[in-house]
Amino acid sequence: MLYIIEDSINGILMGSIYGLTAMGLTIIFGVLKVVNFAHGSMLMVGMYLAYWTVTLSGIHPYLAIVLVAPAMFFFGYYLQNIVIKPIFIAEKNVREPLTVIIVTTGIWYILDNMTLLIFGPQYRSLSDNPLSGQMLEIGQMFISVPKLYGCITALITALGIYWFFQKTDMGRAIRATSMDREAASLMGINQYKIYNVAFGIGAATAGIAAVTLVPFYNIFPTVGVLFDIKGFIIVVLGGLGSIGGALVGGIIIGLIESVGPQFMTATWTEAIVYGLFLVVLFVKPSGLFGQKHDW
Amino acid sequence: MPLLEVNNIDVSYGDVQVIFDLSLKVEKGEVVSIIGGNGAGKSTLLRTISGLMSTSTGSISFADQPIHNHTPEDIVTCGIIHVPEGRRLFPLMSVKDNLIVGAYNKRAKKDTLLTLKKVYELLPRLQERESQIAMTLSGGEQQMVAIGRGLMAQPHLLMLDEPSLGLAPILIKDIFETVRKIADQGTTVLMVEQDVKHSLSLSDRGYVLEHGRVVMEGKAVDLIDDPHVKEAYLGI
């Protein structure tokens, strides 16, 4: 019984980090209506950025957020502005331009392979950071400290983004664009600028997620792929475009992955995840928290 | 010097031309109605003025500045606000947020709260409903929000595309009274309507569009009495 509680807690903690990795994906989809296949690669770029920041300066891994989040914001902002925007303009009259998805796939391959070229295929990790291997002992239960920090960061990030979308002029403009691009233009909102900002925010949350992962996760050029597939499942489970949904979707996956092995072979948990994914698609295609709203 | 001047424009959707050599003028302080049947090109004309569609020939100028090459955002900044057909509110946002988004442009943003107060004075119903989600409002209320959202942008010229569309007769009266009030407060209004009787009776001038061409123009009072308008649009 105790094991199950312990695993549940660790599953929730890890799951909220999964949710954080998927949050940017859901924001970008919500506004641009485009599935960003390069999201895992942006996470990977963030992880390398965090890794080198911490390794070279020796600061506490979480302090890297101060550098990584803004750097990733600008990375995302200009990636959309320079690479993706021209395609949006060329496909102006298409509601959900497929070519943009293909371009994000291209960005994924380019980022992964450039990283491979520059840093090589080896696994890196921040082995002697103040959080590594730390455990919080509650009675006979052990809770992973870096994951606890990650969970808290995920909650703060989700609340911060929620506040930004609800209470600021830019946030309202982003929501307006996500609901009706044309009506938003008629209100004087430049949709391409909004896309830049939304992509920037998506990349920045990937950067924050990267910082939370770096203290306990290996860093290698294709690390993003693992989170990409999980991210898609999480986002569809929680409802495309819903920030809270991403968090809940992540926690569900985290719970299945950590509690599942108590009852079955660990590899079977994957099957449960995908089975649940299919059931949600059949029963509630808009996801658990998705709005039944025509994008 | 007219506030808005449309000179000999042609507009097409791909290969299909919908507006032919159309010219139109709106003077400052006027209320001008554009009437015509379905497919006459009324909405296309407004969409072209607000920059959502582009002209193939001809020019559009506003306060002596050519605007036909501007983006929709720049046109909003110039002071032309288009309240689109079918209201097009942001469905999952509250009434208040919808209104605040209306004041997004640089010119209007700094006075957001002041303009919001004025809009609430003009449309008190919106203040009662300010925290309600736009999607859940009735059609008449949604139209009020759409007009209020347009006013939030501090328009010099307010373009309304079929404000009475799909509303009950009693609400139509409300909407037109509101339009009249807006005009009396000094905003120039260019309105597209199928409800010819109501719209002409509150307008100064009118244009009749058929098959993308202006077939008649003149004072609203004269148009109401015109035999062609009577027969084709008023059913008398």
Side-chain angles (χ1 to χ4, degrees):
Chain A
M1 188 58 205
L2 204 60
Y3 286 125
I4 293 180
I5 297 174
E6 184 183 332
D7 285 337
S8 305
I9 293 173
N10 280 317
I12 290 170
L13 298 183
M14 190 60 208
S16 52
I17 296 174
Y18 287 153
L20 185 57
T21 64
M23 220 172 273
L25 197 62
T26 211
I27 292 169
I28 291 171
F29 180 85
V31 180
L32 283 78
K33 310 288 174 261
V34 154
V35 178
N36 175 24
F37 276 89
H39 197 72
S41 300
M42 300 203 304
L43 182 74
M44 179 274 297
V45 171
M47 284 172 85
Y48 272 90
L49 207 57
Y51 171 81
W52 285 112
T53 308
V54 175
T55 311
L56 295 177
S57 67
I59 53 174
H60 187 280
Y62 270 78
L63 278 179
I65 285 185
V66 182
L67 179 84
V68 175
M72 288 302 290
F73 176 84
F74 286 111
F75 178 67
Y77 187 99
Y78 286 106
L79 189 67
Q80 143 69 24
N81 194 35
I82 295 165
V83 184
I84 302 176
K85 191 171 88 178
I87 298 148
F88 267 119
I89 292 174
E91 302 240 319
K92 208 170 167 180
N93 300 320
V94 185
R95 218 160 74 112
E96 284 151 18
L98 271 177
T99 32
V100 175
I101 296 178
I102 295 165
V103 169
T104 63
T105 314
I107 296 169
W108 162 20
Y109 276 86
I110 290 171
L111 288 178
D112 281 15
N113 285 298
M114 265 179 34
T115 313
L116 186 67
L117 199 70
I118 298 170
F119 298 111
Q122 65 267 43
Y123 282 43
R124 294 163 199 270
S125 64
L126 283 177
S127 43
D128 54 341
N129 72 78
L131 291 172
S132 124
Q134 289 273 337
M135 286 289 176
L136 193 68
E137 216 178 319
I138 306 171
Q140 286 167 306
M141 292 188 299
F142 289 94
I143 311 290
S144 158
V145 172
K147 288 179 188 172
L148 181 65
Y149 274 41
C151 174
I152 295 166
T153 311
L155 291 176
I156 294 172
T157 309
L159 286 174
I161 292 172
Y162 183 77
W163 176 85
F164 175 79
F165 279 171
Q166 296 294 322
K167 297 291 174 198
T168 65
D169 281 338
M170 179 52 81
R172 287 193 193 94
I174 291 175
R175 276 194 296 148
T177 307
S178 79
M179 292 176 207
D180 192 333
R181 291 173 193 174
E182 195 175 276
S185 314
L186 290 179
M187 298 300 113
I189 298 167
N190 180 340
Q191 54 170 322
Y192 300 112
K193 196 181 145 207
I194 297 294
Y195 290 176
N196 292 348
V197 174
F199 217 89
I201 294 171
T205 57
I208 295 171
V211 171
T212 67
L213 283 169
V214 159
F216 65 95
Y217 215 87
N218 286 322
I219 300 139
F220 49 96
T222 51
V223 64
V225 177
L226 302 172
F227 290 96
D228 245 341
I229 296 164
K230 256 186 201 118
F232 294 143
I233 296 174
I234 288 166
V235 162
V236 173
L237 265 184
L240 278 161
S242 161
I243 293 157
L247 215 48
V248 174
I251 289 171
I252 292 172
I253 305 281
L255 274 173
I256 294 175
E257 277 188 1
S258 68
V259 181
Q262 293 285 341
F263 304 99
M264 65 196 87
T265 326
T267 41
W268 266 100
T269 58
E270 203 102 318
I272 295 185
V273 169
Y274 287 103
L276 183 71
F277 176 67
L278 279 180
V279 170
V280 168
L281 279 184
F282 288 146
V283 178
K284 199 167 183 301
S286 54
L288 298 173
F289 294 88
Q291 295 280 1
K292 247 202 179 153
H293 165 62
D294 177 31
W295 287 113
Chain B
M1 175 200 83
L3 184 65
L4 175 78
E5 205 171 357
V6 176
N7 290 319
N8 311 95
I9 56 164
D10 285 347
V11 182
S12 344
Y13 288 96
D15 294 336
V16 186
Q17 189 169 353
V18 272
I19 288 182
F20 300 86
D21 193 31
L22 189 149
S23 299
L24 160 159
K25 283 189 180 70
V26 179
E27 301 285 343
K28 197 166 173 5
E30 269 188 322
V31 177
V32 175
S33 280
I34 298 169
I35 58 181
N38 285 331
K42 309 185 299 294
S43 296
T44 308
L45 175 62
L46 293 198
R47 291 172 62 84
T48 310
I49 297 172
S50 62
L52 292 174
M53 297 190 62
S54 46
T55 55
S56 27
T57 56
S59 67
I60 303 173
S61 60
F62 183 70
D64 261 356
Q65 302 287 323
I67 56 163
H68 49 276
N69 289 326
H70 283 19
T71 59
E73 301 87 65
D74 289 343
I75 289 171
V76 169
T77 313
C78 290
I80 301 181
I81 311 300
H82 178 184
V83 177
E85 185 176 3
R87 309 182 265 274
R88 303 288 286 270
L89 298 182
F90 303 117
L92 303 173
M93 282 166 92
S94 69
V95 168
K96 193 178 177 187
D97 280 355
N98 263 284
L99 293 174
I100 292 175
V101 169
Y104 183 84
N105 73 76
K106 287 195 273 295
R107 209 163 36 80
K109 195 176 246 175
K110 54 183 188 300
D111 303 328
T112 304
L113 292 178
L114 200 72
T115 327
L116 187 65
K117 224 178 102 196
K118 281 187 196 157
V119 169
Y120 279 158
E121 268 165 30
L122 182 72
L123 305 161
R125 194 61 182 270
L126 300 191
Q127 187 157 23
E128 291 166 33
R129 304 267 162 155
E130 67 172 13
S131 53
Q132 205 171 324
I133 299 299
M135 197 169 61
T136 64
L137 295 175
S138 72
E141 287 165 340
Q142 286 193 14
Q143 187 60 56
M144 291 294 185
V145 177
I147 293 175
R149 187 178 65 175
L151 290 175
M152 288 299 293
Q154 301 190 342
H156 298 313
L157 170 66
L158 186 67
M159 300 199 297
L160 302 170
D161 196 346
E162 302 220 16
S164 74
L165 188 75
L167 299 185
I170 187 158
L171 292 172
I172 293 181
K173 227 177 120 227
D174 274 4
I175 295 281
F176 282 119
E177 271 168 20
T178 308
V179 173
R180 191 63 250 179
K181 268 190 224 161
I182 292 166
D184 290 343
Q185 286 172 7
T187 308
T188 311
V189 177
L190 176 63
M191 183 167 50
V192 156
E193 251 310 330
Q194 301 230 24
D195 189 332
V196 173
K197 203 169 126 218
H198 279 103
S199 67
L200 281 181
S201 62
L202 70 81
S203 301
D204 299 311
R205 284 191 309 118
Y207 288 85
V208 180
L209 245 61
E210 274 168 23
H211 308 296
R213 295 177 178 85
V214 174
V215 294
M216 218 183 276
E217 60 174 292
K219 288 206 170 105
V221 278
D222 298 339
L223 285 178
I224 290 185
D225 290 331
D226 185 272
H228 175 74
V229 173
K230 269 188 172 163
E231 198 199 326
Y233 302 105
L234 297 171
I236 317 171

